[in-house]
Amino acid sequence: MSPDIAGGSLGVLGPHGQPIGETVDDWQGAMPLPDTTLTGRRVRVEPLDAGRHGDALHAALGEPGETPGDAPEARWTYLGGIPYANRDGFDTWLAARADSHEPRFRAIVDRASGLAVGLAAYLNGVPEHGSLEVGHLHFSPRLRRTPGATEAMALMMRHAFALGYRRYEWKCDALNAASRRAATRLGFRLEGVFRQHRVVAGRNRDTAWFSILDGEWPALEARLWRWLSPDNFDAKGRQRLSLSALTARSSASG
């Protein structure tokens, strides 16, 4: 079996001498997504409830960041702009997210404070083919670039693969350098860019597509939980070994 120019596989030869995909043994499809709470050391990822999470999310998502690029409005640049103008608008927007079944929204709750500090969603799930996407990520300054953010993503990945999904996707505006870095750091592999994929707020959007496959997950899972281990952080919460360094070590040993 030889790789093709796109980095995939030429498969096996079928009865007519044509290359076809390898058999997926005993494939029954993945399980539908349940409304399950996922609990880690630092965060919980739980079904979004507008009443329970609304006050904390409104406060957290409205907090100023440390740089102009992290201002509340700037966090929506690649999503077409902030979709609400005031608290009433936020409540309406959040209630619609909580009622949605596609995407399926989750609140990310800081366990120490008990407050919701971010949002994420599962979307584009196709259980019969085993594919699922993570997206609609809204991380407040309290969550961004923290171990809790990484833990939330790791919990959602682990849940997806435990349900039998064989492909886990991440898509973002191709110009969104921060999102692309986050995907790569978490272990997603870039598959390519869909040119002129969408028109967002009257502007062209090319979309970068990333994925993790089920066969890649066990090694990636070990790296993620090794990085998240309490002994990887000093008394001030500073990491001893970066996730990128762990990934590099794994690639070198492989």
Side-chain angles (χ1 to χ4, degrees):
M1 187 167 56
S2 302
D4 67 10
I5 59 173
S9 167
L10 291 177
V12 296
L13 293 181
H16 305 292
Q18 300 159 304
I20 58 175
E22 294 181 304
T23 301
V24 183
D25 293 328
D26 301 320
W27 176 248
Q28 301 294 320
M31 296 174 60
L33 288 168
D35 286 331
T36 301
T37 295
L38 312 175
T39 302
R41 291 179 180 272
R42 301 166 179 85
V43 300
R44 294 193 309 273
V45 181
E46 58 190 38
L48 175 63
D49 183 296
R52 187 167 75 251
H53 301 127
D55 287 345
L57 281 173
H58 182 261
L61 295 178
E63 286 183 349
E66 296 179 356
T67 66
D70 197 24
E73 295 81 5
R75 295 173 210 144
W76 293 85
T77 294
Y78 296 107
L79 298 172
I82 193 165
Y84 48 84
N86 50 40
R87 178 58 194 264
D88 286 343
F90 174 83
D91 289 342
T92 299
W93 175 82
L94 192 68
R97 308 282 85 71
D99 290 342
S100 170
H101 290 281
E102 174 54 39
R104 301 278 290 276
F105 278 84
R106 301 291 188 261
I108 301 172
V109 177
D110 174 64
R111 290 193 64 189
S113 67
L115 298 175
V117 290
L119 286 172
Y122 289 120
L123 66 157
N124 293 328
V126 188
E128 59 266 36
H129 297 307
S131 64
L132 182 65
E133 181 181 349
V134 63
H136 295 279
L137 304 179
H138 301 284
F139 289 2
S140 73
R142 303 182 198 181
L143 181 63
R144 295 184 74 176
R145 295 182 289 275
T146 69
T150 300
E151 184 177 66
M153 294 295 94
L155 288 168
M156 291 183 73
M157 289 183 212
R158 183 170 68 182
H159 185 55
F161 288 115
L163 291 171
Y165 288 90
R166 56 197 294 266
R167 172 182 171 82
Y168 194 64
E169 301 174 338
W170 174 300
K171 304 184 183 82
C172 64
D173 190 307
L175 297 175
N176 189 344
S179 185
R180 294 181 67 151
R181 284 194 301 270
T184 300
R185 175 181 173 274
L186 288 168
F188 288 84
R189 296 189 184 184
L190 177 66
E191 296 182 329
V193 174
F194 277 40
R195 300 179 298 163
Q196 296 189 11
H197 181 223
R198 293 182 182 175
V199 176
V200 178
R203 296 181 181 275
N204 176 66
R205 167 173 153 159
D206 296 343
T207 299
W209 289 49
F210 296 81
S211 72
I212 296 169
L213 304 184
D214 55 351
E216 300 161 351
W217 172 240
L220 174 57
E221 180 181 25
R223 293 199 300 271
L224 287 167
W225 296 112
R226 169 65 186 89
W227 184 81
L228 288 163
S229 174
D231 63 14
N232 189 42
F233 298 89
D234 65 19
K236 295 184 178 181
R238 295 172 299 200
Q239 64 181 357
R240 302 181 191 277
L241 189 63
S242 72
L243 185 54
S244 299
L246 285 169
T247 299
R249 285 186 178 187
S250 177
S251 298
S253 63

